[in-house]
Structures are given as C-alpha cells and as structure tokens.
C-alpha cells in the first residue's frame, strides 16, 4: 500500500509541475523514479525513454504506465497513469472556465514566460547526463559524431525523432548480433584448433 501511495504522489507531482508538455515532464519523472524512489537506474530510465519515444502517444503517460507496471504490476500502472493525468484534467476543466477572463493579465503571461527558462535548464541538465552516459558507454568521439549527425537529421533535414530513434535501435540490435556472431566464430575456431 505504501508503494502505491508513493507511486501516486510521484506521478501526481509530475502531473502538477510538468509545464511544457512531455519534454518538460521528463526531468521531473527522472527526479522522482531514479533519484528519489530509485525504482529504476539512470541507465534503465534512458533505455525506457528511448523506447518510449519510438511509440505513439504522450511520453509522460507512457513512462508512468510502464514504471507503474514495473513497480507493482497492473494496479501500479493504473495508479501511476491516473496520478499523472488527473491534475491536468482537473486544471483544464477549472482553468478553461476562467481562462478567457484572465488570459490578458500581465501576471498570467509573465507566469507562463517565467516557467520556460526553468524547463529549459531541467532539460539541459538531463541532456548533459545522457551525453555523459553515452560518452562513457561508447566513447566521446563516437558520442560527439553521433550527436552532430542527430542534430543534422532532426534540425536540418527535419526527420521525425521517433524514426531516428527506431533506426538507431535497429542498428544497435544488428550490430550487437554481428558482434556476438564474431565472438561465436572465434570460439568455434579456438575449439577446432585446440
């Protein structure tokens, strides 16, 4: 029961504070599930995020559903998804009723503008953590080259991020199998020569 409550509170906080849509929620989810509750490691979170980005639908809801399921099964999934979407639904119903009368106030426009740099910094910190993870995993030269290639593909050519991530996952799977095949071949050659 305690874990269900923690799941609810973790994703409720994400739903309440996740300004800027899915990308703005990712650092908050990372903070809750990796740093605070330690339900997944940072490496696992990166893998879940990469896979989630290849699938259709909002990323925050997909992360909530998967992590909730992983922590406590079916009811954890339902709990985490409800906790992540409930604040937004309540706020939408409440705010849309009064938004038209207050949207021109300076404090409302200033509040929205002030949140943008905060989300930008949170995303920059998370990006730096992912680049550091990639640099340790495959080396800094490959990481810098791949980052440059991805910037070209996404920003200059305009390819959808999901297509780029799916292509990279397929390349990684094929390369991994190729490496294993080479290892097996070497082992067979070693056995036959001895």
């Amino acid at each position: 029961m305690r874990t269900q409550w923690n799941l609810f509170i973790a994703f409720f906080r994400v739903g309440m504070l996740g300004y800027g849509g899915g990308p703005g929620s990712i650092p908050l989810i990372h903070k809750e599930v990796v740093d605070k509750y330690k339900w997944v490691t940072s490496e696992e979170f990166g893998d879940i995020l990469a896979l989630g980005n290849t699938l259709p639908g909002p990323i925050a809801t997909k992360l909530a559903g998967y992590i909730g399921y992983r922590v406590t099964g079916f009811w954890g999934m339902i709990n985490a998804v409800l906790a992540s979407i409930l604040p937004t639904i309540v706020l939408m119903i409440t705010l849309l009723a009064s938004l038209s009368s207050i949207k021109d106030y300076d404090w409302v426009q200033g509040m929205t503008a002030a949140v943008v740099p905060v989300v930008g910094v949170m995303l920059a910190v998370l990006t730096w953590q992912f680049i550091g993870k990639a640099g340790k995993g495959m080396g800094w030269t490959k990481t810098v080259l791949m980052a440059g290639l991805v910037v070209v593909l996404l920003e200059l050519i305009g390819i959808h991020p999901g297509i780029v991530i799916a292509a990279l996952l397929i390349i990684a799977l094929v390369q991994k199998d190729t490496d294993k095949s080479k290892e097996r071949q070497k082992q067979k050659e070693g056995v036959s020569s001895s």
Side-chain angles (χ1 to χ4, degrees):
M1 193 64 184
R2 179 74 179 172
T3 305
Q4 291 289 357
W5 174 249
N6 289 340
L7 264 175
F8 183 84
I9 289 298
F11 284 100
F12 186 80
R13 274 194 290 255
V14 171
M16 286 294 293
L17 303 173
Y19 283 91
S25 300
I26 292 169
L28 296 173
I29 296 172
H30 183 273
K31 186 79 178 170
E32 294 289 340
V33 304
V34 175
D35 297 339
K36 184 165 184 168
Y37 291 109
K38 303 186 186 320
W39 289 319
V40 296
T41 65
S42 188
E43 289 75 19
E44 290 171 329
F45 184 81
D47 294 341
I48 295 166
L49 180 63
L51 186 60
N53 271 323
T54 64
L55 302 173
I59 188 66
T61 310
K62 289 182 283 188
L63 289 174
Y66 177 77
I67 292 169
Y69 182 80
R70 183 171 163 161
V71 173
T72 61
F74 176 78
W75 291 112
M77 175 187 71
I78 298 295
N79 184 17
V81 169
L82 281 177
S84 69
I85 63 173
L86 200 58
T88 306
I89 293 170
V90 171
L91 287 174
M92 284 289 288
I93 292 169
T94 305
L95 291 178
L96 280 178
S98 58
L99 185 63
S100 60
S101 62
I102 63 170
K103 68 179 180 183
D104 293 330
Y105 285 105
D106 288 342
W107 67 270
V108 174
Q109 294 177 357
M111 182 179 70
T112 305
V115 168
V116 173
V118 175
V119 172
V121 169
M122 289 189 312
L123 286 172
V125 169
L126 191 61
T127 301
W128 181 247
Q129 289 174 353
F130 284 150
I131 288 176
K133 176 189 169 193
K136 289 176 186 172
M138 61 183 195
W140 284 104
T141 303
K142 282 184 179 178
T143 300
V144 170
L145 289 174
M146 184 171 283
L149 176 65
V150 170
V151 167
V152 169
L153 292 173
L154 296 181
E155 297 300 321
L156 299 181
I157 299 176
I159 296 176
H160 190 279
I163 295 171
V164 174
I165 292 170
L168 290 174
L169 288 174
I170 291 169
I171 291 169
L173 288 172
V174 169
Q175 185 175 359
K176 192 174 183 179
D177 288 341
T178 305
D179 291 345
K180 284 184 178 178
S181 298
K182 286 180 182 176
E183 286 178 22
R184 279 189 229 122
Q185 185 65 29
K186 284 182 183 177
Q187 287 175 350
K188 285 181 183 177
E189 289 173 2
V191 170
S192 61
S193 63
S194 61

